[in-house]
Amino acid sequence: MPTTVFSAFSSNFLGKAPVWYKQIILLFLIVNPIVMYLLGPVTAGWLLIAEFIFTLAMALKCYPLLPGGLLAIEALLIGLTTADAVYLEVLTNFPVILLLMFMVAGIYFMQDLLLVAFTQILVGVRSKSALSLMFCMAAAVLSAFLDALTVTAVIISVTVGFYSVYHKVASGKGYQSSDHNSDSDDEVIELHRDDLENFRAFLRSLLMHGAIGTALGGVATMVGEPQNLLIAKVVGWDFIGFFLHMAPVSIPVLVAGLVTCWVLEKMRWFGYGGRLPKSVRRVLEEFADNERAKRTKADQAALWVQAAAALILVVGLALHLAEVGLIGLLVIILITSFTGVTSEHQIGKAFQESLPFTSLLVVFFAVVAVIHEQHLFKPVIDYVLSLPEGQQPGMFFIANGLLSMISDNVFVATVYISEIKQALDAGSISYEHFQSLAVAINTGTNLPSVATPNGQAAFLFLLTSAIAPLVRLSYGRMVVMAFPYTMVMGGVGLYMVMFHI
């Protein structure tokens, strides 16, 4: 407990972040104006980018919106960019903000339908290899039309539910028991400990296959990941156009990813291959049957409404009937109107997941404004564009992939697509070549970024979720389990970008 006002300020600053982290952020804030004065805006701008990437890499210590936002505000104050330039970046990318605000919230109201689907897959398929493949495929298909974050949230909800059910039984209680702490193994009966550990390994592999599936499907369409829509808007692609341009890369990568999933389960490499113990399966099947029996006519009607809304969503996206975010708002209105969700408090919950990331995206745009104002990436872009035209897409794929592994793929894509758009506007490249580079940037930010939780918002969401500590899914374990996928998806993606676009 702080004993003075000064210590209270120190304690409150960035909350529960480690002291060393707070000190580093303060050091950044002190050093930036000095560097700006002594070495000029270009050096200060590059330093700001490095600092911002640091906040993204340290996202588990503190949500990047706070330290990143402080750095962005300071950049405005010391003259690295202007408020008008930031506003122009936000205005240009407004469709992406609409996507995050309304599409993610719209899918929130379809969670019951998605939970039923994933539950049926989990208890209905007995082969672990087939189950993993189905989880991966289902996540890929859903992410192509919905949103990777929300699909990950649904998979987490399913696994948390099943884990808590068996943990209660393993602790000698009925799964209907409401007074139970799933975080602690103190009450777990010794006889069930081995089964519980095996169940954890089983769920870990399913979670990782599902998360990888969101990346496999997310790269293919303009709504799969936030940066996809941003790229589509800059280039001028609609839903079908985006899919067709990505298909020469996204389809082979999808096939390679699914083959990798099957091989990992069969060979039990890199922590995969955990089987579901028979005793656990019996408990989960009984629980699923019980939940099905409890479903009322009103619940069934709500599922039909959600299914109809999902069909409208897919048709609206495919035919590009309106901006993606507005279609998400349509889904919100339809589902809430016909399922009886009328409370402002109930509706507000749908926006809790998306708005923090939307706010962070605006901070991204502030940093992008600095990059534009100071022309920081111009030498890099000029160098790549000076290479033979056939080498350029591969170089962009590699550069975007490496940066996305350590920072955030939305930020990286935002920077690179805006820079090559400037090259197009200046007449340095043709529109056809611009489209090829856009494919390289999109696939480069979406595929190799699965290497670490920093690169993909869905992976970071999984790591910081309630299920991760329960099934012992740490940062290091995620990196190890993602490694074979990173090699395969990155390798196949690079080959297709270099030789087939």
Side-chain angles (χ1 to χ4, degrees), residues 82-160:
T82 65
D84 288 341
V86 175
Y87 177 72
L88 184 62
E89 289 292 337
V90 173
L91 199 60
T92 303
N93 296 290
F94 186 64
V96 182
I97 294 174
L98 278 180
L99 165 73
L100 288 171
M101 286 175 61
F102 295 129
M103 184 61 81
V104 176
I107 306 307
Y108 172 88
F109 292 107
M110 293 170 58
Q111 283 194 356
D112 289 342
L113 178 67
L114 297 172
L115 282 169
V116 168
F118 276 104
T119 299
Q120 288 303 113
I121 293 173
L122 189 56
V123 299
V125 181
R126 291 187 173 272
S127 165
K128 176 63 189 309
S129 301
L131 176 62
S132 299
L133 206 56
M134 289 189 69
F135 246 69
C136 196
M137 288 180 64
V141 171
L142 289 171
S143 295
F145 289 99
L146 307 179
D147 167 74
L149 265 179
T150 307
V151 173
T152 305
V154 171
I155 295 173
I156 289 170
S157 298
V158 173
T159 51
V160 166

Side-chain angles (χ1 to χ4, degrees), residues 21 28 102 129 180 195 239 241 255 271 283 316 340 350 352 367 416 425 448:
Y21 181 87
F28 289 164
F102 295 129
S129 301
H180 181 70
D195 283 345
F239 188 88
V255 173
V283 171
Q352 289 177 353
V367 177
Y416 273 93
D425 294 340

Side-chain angles (χ1 to χ4, degrees), residues 31-69:
V31 165
N32 287 342
I34 298 172
V35 171
M36 175 72 173
Y37 178 75
L38 295 177
L39 302 176
V42 173
T43 304
W46 277 110
L47 181 62
L48 176 73
I49 293 172
E51 292 166 353
F52 191 68
I53 290 176
F54 171 83
T55 67
L56 295 174
M58 294 288 109
L60 295 181
K61 305 299 180 185
C62 180
Y63 191 62
L65 172 64
L66 312 181

Side-chain angles (χ1 to χ4, degrees), residues 168-443:
K168 289 174 186 177
V169 173
S171 301
K173 304 175 182 178
Y175 56 73
Q176 300 90 349
S177 175
S178 57
D179 181 25
H180 181 70
N181 179 18
S182 297
D183 296 336
S184 172
D185 288 350
D186 292 344
E187 298 180 30
V188 174
I189 300 169
E190 195 64 36
L191 182 65
H192 295 302
R193 285 190 180 273
D194 285 343
D195 283 345
L196 181 60
E197 287 304 317
N198 290 332
F199 188 37
R200 281 176 174 144
F202 171 84
L203 290 179
R204 276 198 304 271
S205 59
L206 278 189
L207 285 165
M208 286 301 295
H209 289 313
I212 293 293
T214 65
L216 290 170
V219 68
T221 67
M222 63 186 282
V223 296
E225 296 281 354
Q227 72 269 24
N228 296 18
L229 182 60
L230 188 151
I231 291 170
K233 289 299 172 187
V234 172
V235 181
W237 290 327
D238 59 12
F239 188 88
I240 300 297
F242 187 98
F243 175 80
L244 292 176
H245 278 91
M246 295 302 154
V249 182
S250 62
I251 300 301
V253 169
L254 173 63
V255 173
L258 294 177
V259 170
T260 304
C261 172
W262 182 269
V263 171
L264 289 173
E265 283 300 323
K266 286 296 184 184
M267 304 304 293
R268 304 192 182 190
W269 290 339
F270 295 95
Y272 292 99
R275 299 302 192 254
L276 182 63
K278 291 182 180 178
S279 59
V280 180
R281 175 176 290 281
R282 284 194 296 269
V283 171
L284 298 186
E285 287 174 343
E286 183 183 339
F287 170 74
D289 291 341
N290 187 58
E291 288 295 299
R292 194 180 302 112
K294 288 195 308 183
R295 198 173 294 144
T296 64
K297 296 298 181 184
D299 294 332
Q300 293 174 19
L303 290 175
W304 279 107
V305 169
Q306 291 173 33
L311 181 61
I312 292 170
L313 172 67
V314 172
V315 172
L317 291 174
L319 300 180
H320 197 60
L321 299 179
E323 276 294 341
V324 175
L326 296 181
I327 295 174
L329 181 58
L330 169 67
V331 168
I332 294 173
I333 294 169
L334 289 177
I335 295 179
T336 53
S337 298
F338 290 96
T339 58
V341 180
T342 57
S343 164
E344 181 183 358
H345 179 69
Q346 286 177 289
I347 296 172
K349 288 181 179 178
F351 294 89
Q352 289 177 353
E353 286 178 7
S354 61
L355 285 185
F357 190 71
T358 306
S359 305
L360 178 60
L361 195 64
V362 174
V363 174
F364 285 173
F365 296 147
V367 177
V368 172
V370 172
I371 292 169
H372 283 172
E373 291 281 302
Q374 305 303 328
H375 308 289
L376 298 182
F377 275 50
K378 192 174 187 303
V380 178
I381 301 295
D382 287 347
Y383 168 72
V384 175
L385 293 179
S386 70
L387 296 173
E389 195 169 280
Q391 295 180 18
Q392 292 174 18
M395 288 299 294
F396 271 104
F397 182 94
I398 293 170
N400 281 266
L402 292 175
L403 271 178
S404 295
M405 288 180 188
I406 59 173
S407 60
D408 179 273
N409 56 4
V410 179
F411 171 66
V412 175
T414 303
V415 170
Y416 273 93
I417 194 65
S418 56
E419 287 294 323
I420 65 164
K421 179 63 164 65
Q422 288 187 344
L424 174 69
D425 294 340
S428 303
I429 56 176
S430 67
Y431 182 69
E432 183 180 350
H433 187 53
F434 173 63
Q435 292 186 95
S436 298
L437 296 182
V439 172
I441 290 170
N442 184 69
T443 52

